[in-house]
Amino acid sequence: MLTIGGVDVEHVVGLPHPRLRPFVTRYSGYRMRTAPGTHRGLPSRSLTLVVTLDGTVDLPEGRFSALCGGLHDEAVLITHDGFQHGVQCDLTPLGARALLGVPAGELAGVSVGLDALDAPAGELRERLRAAPTWLDRFAHLDRVLGGLLRPVRQQVEVAWAWQRLADGAGVGAIAAEVGWSRQHLSARFAAEYGLTPKVASRVMRFERANRMLRGERRPTLTEVAAACGYADQAHLNRDWRALCGATPTEWITAELPFVQGSEGPHVAR
């Protein structure tokens, strides 16, 4: 347990078993004591599966002990009483199909209890709570999630578009590459992921900027804007206000000490 500015944080990050990694990019175990308040769940290219070990995740949609949140283009407000304890799994969009049997588009912008997705929420939570260490919990996740895997396929053009957006390509260029109109690409992409290519590109750019600000050497906002493809710092501020509900400076003041304190090394897998 690490104490930073009155915040007690335990945070351990682990890699899933190799056969799960196309579907789950990482596990994050957390145990935190802070002042009661509201935390922003930020947009990213991952869906979020959370299983609590104590208490619940309290969202506008309700209170959950195990949930999956879809891709979203605005901050999700999570209220808490000052104690948060659980495990988060970052799912790829393909992981939604492989593990939960639904396209990511069906979960976009919402959070759903795992029991509503025919996942063994109660069994998983019981196993995680009984496990003595984070390594044991991650091993349980490997076994349970591995047992949920089913064969999946995505439309090749849509999967290609996702990867090219992650590489920084423009929507027009991607449409030309797959031989579709921009309108058809947008419709097919949104059906699979729940976001249009343009919005997904904004989310990926925001995620890159957010990662830069969490680094050991905090860059200036001008450097972040230039590195991530924003026109200028004003553009960066506007985009963050829309996606995060705060400018980078406001977010740094409110949450960065907490976020940095929660960053931990990868657990060897």
Side-chain angles (χ1 to χ4, degrees):
M1 183 76 74
L2 178 65
T3 301
I4 299 177
V7 176
D8 291 330
V9 177
E10 180 182 3
H11 192 257
V12 180
V13 177
L15 292 176
H17 187 278
R19 75 187 186 102
L20 282 169
R21 291 178 196 172
F23 316 109
V24 186
T25 58
R26 75 171 191 170
Y27 300 141
S28 303
Y30 59 89
R31 188 172 184 272
M32 307 175 188
R33 291 191 182 276
T34 67
T38 301
H39 170 66
R40 290 184 180 93
L42 300 181
S44 77
R45 71 191 69 191
S46 301
L47 291 84
T48 303
L49 188 156
V50 175
V51 180
T52 64
L53 302 181
D54 290 288
T56 57
V57 178
D58 298 343
L59 304 173
E61 297 100 321
R63 306 176 72 181
F64 301 93
S65 58
L67 65 91
C68 184
L71 301 177
H72 50 99
D73 61 353
E74 58 183 12
V76 175
L77 298 181
I78 305 164
T79 58
H80 60 87
D81 63 2
F83 184 59
Q84 301 171 76
H85 188 198
V87 179
Q88 176 176 314
C89 308
D90 294 344
L91 307 186
T92 66
L94 189 61
R97 283 191 178 274
L99 298 170
L100 304 175
V102 296
E106 289 192 14
L107 300 173
V110 299
S111 296
V112 180
L114 282 188
D115 50 358
L117 296 170
D118 294 327
E123 173 192 354
L124 181 56
R125 188 169 190 250
E126 183 178 333
R127 288 190 182 189
L128 294 179
R129 294 182 73 182
T133 69
W134 290 115
L135 277 176
D136 292 320
R137 292 173 187 131
F138 296 160
H140 281 309
L141 284 168
D142 281 344
R143 286 191 286 272
V144 173
L145 296 182
L148 295 177
L149 282 178
R150 66 200 81 191
V152 289
R153 294 182 62 186
Q154 278 183 314
Q155 191 169 10
V156 173
E157 293 87 350
V158 172
W160 173 257
W162 178 271
Q163 183 56 55
R164 293 290 287 133
L165 284 176
D167 293 338
V171 178
I174 296 170
E177 289 169 4
V178 301
W180 288 352
S181 69
R182 289 178 63 119
Q183 292 78 9
H184 185 66
L185 172 64
S186 182
R188 298 307 307 159
F189 190 97
E192 178 65 25
Y193 300 116
L195 304 176
T196 66
K198 183 177 180 180
V199 173
S201 178
R202 287 180 68 203
V203 167
M204 292 177 182
R205 181 176 60 189
F206 168 84
E207 186 179 44
R208 289 193 293 272
N210 185 266
R211 286 175 177 170
M212 285 187 69
L213 290 175
R214 297 176 189 229
E216 292 184 8
R217 185 196 75 81
R218 186 185 304 170
T220 67
L221 296 183
T222 301
E223 289 173 329
V224 173
C228 295
Y230 293 97
D232 51 30
Q233 187 176 328
H235 182 201
L236 171 73
N237 286 338
R238 289 194 302 272
D239 219 46
W240 270 63
R241 176 71 73 184
L243 294 171
C244 175
T247 66
T249 300
E250 291 167 345
W251 178 80
I252 287 168
T253 300
E255 300 211 26
L256 190 56
F258 165 78
V259 171
Q260 285 186 320
S262 71
E263 293 299 317
H266 281 288
V267 173
R269 304 295 293 158

